[in-house]
Amino acid sequence: MQSALALEVVIDMRLFFRYFFKLVHLIVGPMLLAWDWATTPKGIDREREQQQRIDEETQNFTLYQFRTCPFCIKVRRAIKRLSLNIDQCDAQRNGPCREALLEGGGAVKVPCLKIARADGTTEWLYESNDIIAYLQQNYA
């Protein structure tokens, strides 16, 4: 009898926490997007040839992200600041993007930068700080 009651309490707590965090996400997510939109960083001004070279180098890059993820917003802001044209794929709402991230990267964890190189190799770079460091090292 006590174990059944304890199980009910555990299930009730799980539901409470699940819906609590969904509610927080529904409230905070749009606020983060509004803040990001209102404070969009200015990109680097480069010479046309240099920007074209960088665009060619990054044309096979894809950022897998969730729109309201704070770490994804952090990476997107760094991409804007560096004036990089990197494709973005919403792995939260887009089924094919989610599947590609799972198959290629091994986990549905965002942000993830897929770097497809000209020699045919592909690198899946996770962690926002690592992604930003890579982009700054190569394109700042």
Side-chain angles (χ1 to χ4, degrees):
M1 181 91 170
Q2 286 181 346
S3 64
L5 182 61
L7 182 60
E8 269 187 55
V9 169
V10 169
I11 291 172
D12 288 343
M13 291 302 292
R14 285 183 183 169
L15 286 174
F16 170 77
F17 283 116
R18 177 181 298 154
Y19 288 114
F20 173 77
F21 285 112
K22 282 187 178 193
L23 178 64
V24 168
H25 185 260
L26 285 172
I27 295 169
V28 174
M31 292 170 53
L32 286 172
L33 291 175
W35 170 78
D36 182 39
W37 175 80
T39 62
T40 300
K42 183 172 174 12
I44 296 173
D45 287 326
R46 296 186 180 99
E47 293 181 12
R48 188 170 188 230
E49 296 80 23
Q50 185 183 20
Q51 186 65 47
Q52 284 179 331
R53 181 186 57 78
I54 289 174
D55 288 346
E56 287 175 12
E57 287 180 26
T58 60
Q59 73 181 353
N60 294 322
F61 288 15
T62 304
L63 176 67
Y64 291 88
Q65 45 97 29
F66 295 169
R67 283 191 49 203
T68 57
C69 166
F71 299 104
C72 298
I73 291 171
K74 179 180 171 182
V75 171
R76 288 195 311 260
R77 292 177 66 82
I79 289 171
K80 289 176 192 174
R81 205 174 301 112
L82 294 170
S83 298
L84 301 175
N85 295 318
I86 295 176
D87 287 335
Q88 297 178 13
C89 197
D90 188 350
Q92 186 173 22
R93 291 181 170 74
N94 187 331
C97 286
R98 188 179 188 90
E99 288 177 23
L101 177 59
L102 181 59
E103 287 177 19
V108 179
K109 181 180 169 191
V110 293
C112 179
L113 182 65
K114 176 186 173 188
I115 304 167
R117 295 196 172 81
D119 65 2
T121 61
T122 302
E123 181 179 356
W124 296 82
L125 188 59
Y126 288 95
E127 300 299 328
S128 58
N129 289 334
D130 294 342
I131 294 169
I132 292 168
Y134 173 84
L135 295 174
Q136 286 180 338
Q137 179 182 358
N138 292 288
Y139 303 107

